[in-house]
Every structure is written in C-alpha cells, then in structure tokens.
Amino acid sequence: MLVALMLSAQAVRATELTLQAPGAPEKLTEQLTAASLVLAAARRDDAPTPQDLLAAARADYARMVGVLYGAGLYGGDVKISVDGREAAEIDPLSRIDRIERITITVLAGPKFTFSQASVTPLAPGTALPEGFAVGKTAEVGMIEAATTAGINGWREAGHAKADLESQTIYANHDIAMLAADIRLRPGPRLRFGDLLVTETGRVRPDRIREIAGLPTGEVYTPEEVREAADRLRRTGAFRSVALQEAEEIGPGNTLDIEAQVADERPRRIGVGAELSSLEGITLSGFWLHRNLFGGAERFRVEAELGGIGGESGGMDYSLSARLDRPATFTRDTGLFLGFSLAEQDEPDYRERSAQIGAGLTHLFSDELSGEAAIGYRYSEVDDDLGSRTLEHVLFPLRATWDTRDDPLNAKDGAFVDVHVTPFAGVNGSASGTRLYTDARGFLGFGENDRFVLAGRAQIGSVSGAAATEVPPAMLFYSGGAGTVRGQPYQSLSVDLGAGRSIGGRSFLALSGELRAEMRYGVSLVGFYDLGFVGADSWGSENGDWHSGAGLGLRYDTGIGPIRLDVATALDNKDSGGIEVYIGIGQAF
C-alpha cells in the first residue's frame, strides 16, 4: 500500500511526500497515514519550511512505531528517507534550503500474540478485557486497558491510591510472542474524609458541602465522587466543577476531597416566540437568578402572552414564579415554592386562575426523578354553562423517566412523564383525581442515525368529579400544535348540543414522525397525529376522534432546531385546510 502527496513549497518547486507499507492491510496503512506529521504537512494551509519538514520526519519514527505496537506488531522496521538520507542521521540544526522528496517506508513484520497475560493482584470481581489473554493479539492498547481495569477494580473497592507497581514485558521475536506481567500496588482501603472547598465564590462553602453530599466516613468509591460533582453541576450555579482527591492519606485511612468551583453568571434572561396560522403568535420570556440567597437557590419568573392576532379565542396571559432550593432534608431532595396567575380566553371558555403551592423534588437516579406537592387553586370560569367559582386543594404527584440522548433533538431513548393530581373541593367544589401521561420514544437508524422514528402518546383522565366541577384548564381538548396538527386549536371537545361544548374527562393523542437529516443542518419530517376526547373518565364510546398529517422542515442551530410544520386535517369539516406552525425545538 502506497500513499503519495505533493506539497507545494513555492510556485515552481514541490516536495514529494510518500508513505509505503508493503503487504500491510488497508486499515493499518490508514492508521499510519493519520499518524504521520510529514503527511499532515500536505494538508496545512501554510507551506512548512524545510526545517519544519525535517523535524516532522524525525518525530514520525516514534509515531509509526506506536501505530505498529498498537496493532501488535513488535518486529517492524521504519525507514524515513529525506532526499536519499536517513532522517535520523541528519543534524536537526543543519540548514536545509530545499527538500524535494521524503519517503516513509514501514515494514510491519509479524503479528505477536500473548504468551503470558497477567495482572496481579486483582480486586474481587474485576474483569479484564477479553483481548488480554494468552493466544490473543498482543496490542499495546490491550496491555494499557488491562492495567487500567485492574487499578479501577481496586479503586471501586475503596483503594483510592491503587497504582502500578511494576510491569515486565518481554517480546520473543523468534516465535512472535509477547509476555506481559503487570504488578499492582492496591494501597490501604480508605474512607471519605471532608470535602474541602479550596476556592470560594458566591455560594457558601457549607451549602456546597450539603449539595455535594459527600458521604464522610463511608468507604471510598469513585462513583460517589462523580455523583457529588453532578449534584453541584445540576444546580446551575457553577460554570465549572472539579472534585479531586487529596494527595495525602489522612488520619485513620481517610481521604479528603478538594472542591474547586467557578461561579456561573447569577442572572439570565430568555425570550421565545411561536407562530401558528390559526392560534396566532405566542411570546414568552423568563428571568432567572441562579443563587438568590447564597445557597444555590434557583428563582425563575416566567411570563407568556398568547393568541396575538389569532382566531382561537382572545388573548391569553400568564405570570408564574418558582423558587427551588437544592439539598433540603437529603442531598437528592429539593424544596420548591411557587405561584401562578393566568387568564385563558379559549374558544370554549374563559378562566381566570390563581395558584400557590409548595413541594419536594427527589432524584432517584440519573434517569428517574419525582415530585410531590400541595397547593391551592382559585378559578373564575365563564363558559357555555354559565359563570362559576371553583376552589380546590391540590396534591400533585409526578414521576419522570428520561433516557433521551439529547432532550432538545433526541435520536435515541425514551421519555415518560406521569402526573397524578388528587384534588379536594373547598366551599362546595367537588373532589376527584386528574391523570395525565406523556410518553415519547425515539429510534435512530441509518448511517450516523440519519433517520429517526419518533412516537408520542398522551393519555388523560379526570375521575370523581363532573366536567362542570373541574376548572376548564384541567379538562382535555384536542387540536393544534401540541396535540393534532392540521386541526384547529382545541377544536375537539365534548358536544353538549345546542351549540354548546365543554372539555372532556378523557383524552388520547397519538403522534408519529419520520425525521430525515438532509444537508447543511436541514431535516425533512413527515408526521401523522390522531386525537380523541370523551365525556367519560375512561373509554372511547362517548367521544369523538380526529386526525391530521403534514410535512415539516427543521434547521439545526446547534442548541436546538427551528421548526416549520405545514399540516392539514384529514377528517371532519376542517379537512382540506392548511395550518402552519413555526417554533423552536422539535414538536416533541
């Protein structure tokens, strides 16, 4: 296999660069080519000097040998000729005015196998790489991987200072075999000492320790250190977080951990906009403080104005605020307080509401989180059934399971969000329970997951109270960007006759998308949506269905796609009409 390139040093002169590896497989030649500094010079925008080329040629000896060792080839030979002279024999400080030809010749030699492959001692349960075994190809990377696995095994067992004690590697060129004998030094079993905050910022050191939740006194494990760092990062109060083991072992075989954190900017402002041909323009914004009282408390105020220029009712207004305090009661439990004010002028109703509440969040794992709260909701309702006032004490429960590879533009994984809200009526209002589940799945296929199948199911139910005894915002409608695209916003509800309608107590929406990545960050999407709203808590007999389909474009901005969907209704009186939706982020 031969690789040849021409490097233009001047307009009338050129340097010929050649790499040849007779008998070598194509993959090995590609690795040699990628490792060569000489050949890399041909890909540079600026022309290197002859001295630069000579230095690169001399460095390529070690780089070529490294590639050979990585492939288990220990008997190879590397020659690098610079205008007929061996590069290693040329004085690196000599003045060279011109280089016409550099030739790299690599003779790979035989492939070596392991005659001995041992790492001792090993912690119980340590698994070495399968390739590190007698008779397997003796790749140098496999020796490194086995050594790392042995050290990590001891670290997982509490021996934080485990290290390499000695290694004996012997190559027998007569029989092309390699013996590798690795000896480890486990060191003592350690327990966590203190978390030392070496650099302080706006967040108080005592709160950094509480949030990190380092289990002082327990046996050391690297996983606990990683989780402590993740807890600090999740607060959003820090731009960077680094937890490092102390150099020296402390009294009683304890090991302190040093925390180095850098503060994030305390405040952030964001805005958003979404356009629907029927619903009009929705504008939103937020103000965020990441460290309100010096304990990484997160305070966020949001406002939204919707229905601007739309044909789906009047203007909608909302204002909400929420304060989150991490590491309350336990290191993975947070406390939150919140309130919201809203006025919704929808096609079937108008509701003015105020809600206040408090609750706890808990992170069970990286994928599973939960939330429990208590709140009070006051609603003034005007709809086809008249005017009424409703008051409820709410007990919302929530569980979220998220394995998506990218929440903003997922190509793999799943997302399930379950809300169960028992509510007790106050001053004559009825009691009951509201259930809502949002489940999404993503499957990428093709080269680099160029194609993605995405599916979504939304399920809702209200039981124990009649539709008239529940705030309209807690009932269910279908139609619009969040449910069935192509159908008018909230066009599907429960028909009461005589031109009157109300939200349903049962709900189902199914959506499917095929996303195809094209070029220049543009993707094409085809989608189909199906929705149902029923008068009863469960079942599909006392209700209606509708559907919609269409095509969309996505433009990847790097922080999330910009979305354009064009859809049409497939049934009922609205079939044939066209709806357009523009927003930020995938539809789901």
Side-chain angles (χ1 to χ4, degrees):
M1 183 68 71
L2 179 145
V3 177
L5 298 170
M6 297 295 291
L7 175 65
S8 178
Q10 296 177 353
V12 295
R13 309 295 299 180
T15 300
E16 180 181 338
L17 310 177
T18 304
L19 184 149
Q20 52 191 15
E26 182 178 355
K27 182 178 180 181
L28 179 61
T29 304
E30 292 175 352
Q31 293 172 338
L32 292 168
T33 302
S36 171
L37 295 178
V38 167
L39 296 183
R43 297 187 290 269
R44 287 171 49 180
D45 293 334
D46 57 322
T49 66
Q51 282 72 27
D52 292 336
L53 288 174
L54 177 60
R58 292 174 61 88
D60 269 357
Y61 285 105
R63 298 175 72 86
M64 299 298 102
V65 170
V67 172
L68 294 177
Y69 283 10
L73 305 166
Y74 298 91
D77 187 25
V78 178
K79 296 183 180 298
I80 303 178
S81 171
V82 178
D83 286 340
R85 300 171 61 190
E86 193 67 30
E89 299 175 359
I90 301 175
D91 185 350
L93 299 179
S94 62
R95 177 174 179 80
I96 301 176
D97 295 326
R98 185 174 67 250
I99 294 177
E100 296 186 354
R101 180 182 296 106
I102 298 179
T103 302
I104 303 173
T105 304
V106 180
L107 301 177
K111 183 168 289 189
F112 281 55
T113 57
F114 285 115
S115 61
Q116 178 186 359
S118 64
V119 178
T120 56
L122 287 177
T126 302
L128 297 180
E130 292 183 4
F132 187 72
V134 173
K136 298 287 188 178
T137 301
E139 300 175 3
V140 68
M142 199 58 63
I143 301 174
E144 296 171 352
T147 303
T148 300
I151 292 173
N152 287 343
W154 283 113
R155 285 173 56 80
E156 295 290 346
H159 299 256
K161 296 301 182 181
D163 204 352
L164 175 67
E165 181 160 298
S166 67
Q167 59 179 356
T168 302
I169 299 175
Y170 174 72
N172 190 328
H173 290 263
D174 294 335
I175 57 176
M177 300 195 79
L178 188 85
D181 182 22
I182 309 300
R183 301 294 177 91
L184 303 180
R185 183 177 60 253
R189 195 170 191 231
L190 304 179
R191 296 183 179 275
F192 281 113
D194 295 326
L195 181 67
L196 308 178
V197 183
T198 58
E199 295 182 12
T200 59
R202 297 185 185 93
V203 182
R204 301 190 304 273
D206 62 306
R207 285 294 292 152
I208 292 176
R209 296 187 187 95
E210 290 177 4
I211 295 167
L214 196 71
T216 299
E218 294 185 10
V219 174
Y220 167 92
T221 65
E223 183 63 25
E224 285 286 0
V225 179
R226 288 191 291 269
E227 290 179 358
D230 287 343
R231 292 186 194 100
L232 291 169
R233 294 187 185 102
R234 277 195 296 268
T235 66
F238 306 105
R239 184 174 67 253
S240 66
V241 174
L243 299 187
Q244 298 176 341
E245 303 162 5
E247 291 291 334
E248 302 296 330
I249 297 174
N253 283 342
T254 59
L255 183 66
D256 293 336
I257 304 297
E258 299 174 354
Q260 297 179 351
V261 298
D263 291 329
E264 184 60 272
R265 292 181 180 179
R267 298 170 188 83
R268 181 183 174 190
I269 296 176
V271 295
E274 188 162 337
L275 169 66
S276 169
S277 55
L278 185 63
E279 301 162 44
I281 299 173
T282 299
L283 300 177
S284 60
F286 71 87
W287 178 84
L288 171 69
H289 198 301
R290 296 184 172 97
N291 184 31
L292 190 62
F293 302 122
E297 300 88 359
R298 187 181 184 92
F299 183 60
R300 182 182 177 109
V301 179
E302 296 186 46
E304 183 174 285
L305 174 61
I308 303 172
E311 302 175 9
S312 57
M315 302 274 280
D316 298 331
Y317 310 87
S318 69
L319 175 67
S320 64
R322 174 163 164 155
L323 174 66
D324 283 90
R325 184 183 189 271
T328 303
F329 305 123
T330 77
R331 61 187 185 180
D332 291 316
T333 303
L335 170 70
F336 68 88
L337 306 171
F339 81 89
S340 65
L341 300 172
E343 179 172 346
Q344 294 176 290
D345 192 352
E346 305 293 357
D348 286 351
Y349 68 88
R350 183 173 183 177
E351 178 183 356
R352 292 168 293 278
S353 65
Q355 184 169 325
I356 188 170
L360 299 173
T361 63
H362 189 79
L363 188 68
F364 297 97
S365 69
D366 290 340
E367 294 82 25
L368 181 63
S369 61
E371 186 173 296
I374 183 172
Y376 168 78
R377 181 186 180 97
Y378 175 87
S379 302
E380 294 179 353
V381 180
D382 295 301
D383 57 16
D384 288 345
L385 300 180
S387 300
R388 56 195 180 279
T389 299
L390 302 172
E391 296 181 68
H392 293 95
V393 177
L394 311 175
F395 305 92
L397 305 172
R398 181 179 184 181
T400 303
W401 180 63
D402 190 354
T403 63
R404 293 172 295 178
D405 58 344
D406 182 353
L408 297 177
N409 190 15
K411 293 186 176 182
D412 184 65
F415 172 85
V416 180
D417 195 18
V418 180
H419 299 247
V420 180
T421 307
F423 54 89
V426 179
N427 294 329
S429 298
S431 302
T433 302
R434 184 182 191 268
L435 167 68
Y436 173 74
T437 299
D438 184 357
R440 311 174 191 183
F442 306 89
L443 176 63
F445 60 96
E447 185 178 357
N448 297 322
D449 288 336
R450 178 186 172 191
F451 300 97
V452 177
L453 280 174
R456 182 185 192 185
Q458 300 176 77
I459 303 172
S461 174
V462 173
S463 60
T468 57
E469 300 170 318
V470 177
M474 293 177 65
L475 297 174
F476 301 101
Y477 299 83
S478 183
T483 52
V484 178
R485 288 161 288 185
Q487 295 285 354
Y489 176 67
Q490 292 193 356
S491 58
L492 185 61
S493 54
V494 175
D495 188 356
L496 300 177
R500 302 179 305 163
S501 61
I502 196 172
R505 294 198 299 155
S506 57
F507 166 69
L508 173 66
L510 302 174
S511 298
E513 288 191 351
L514 175 60
R515 304 170 183 171
E517 185 177 333
M518 310 303 283
R519 300 177 65 184
Y520 309 113
V522 176
S523 297
L524 180 65
V525 177
F527 58 85
Y528 175 80
D529 300 334
L530 178 67
F532 167 83
V533 173
D536 301 326
S537 297
W538 298 102
S540 59
E541 295 182 358
N542 192 10
D544 292 307
W545 297 82
H546 66 176
S547 59
L551 296 174
L553 289 175
R554 307 287 186 266
Y555 177 70
D556 189 3
T557 64
I559 58 173
I562 297 175
R563 167 172 44 92
L564 167 64
D565 285 336
V566 179
T568 184
L570 298 182
D571 44 40
N572 67 39
K573 62 182 178 64
D574 296 303
S575 59
I578 297 295
E579 304 292 344
V580 178
Y581 308 91
I582 300 174
I584 299 175
Q586 295 284 4
F588 59 88

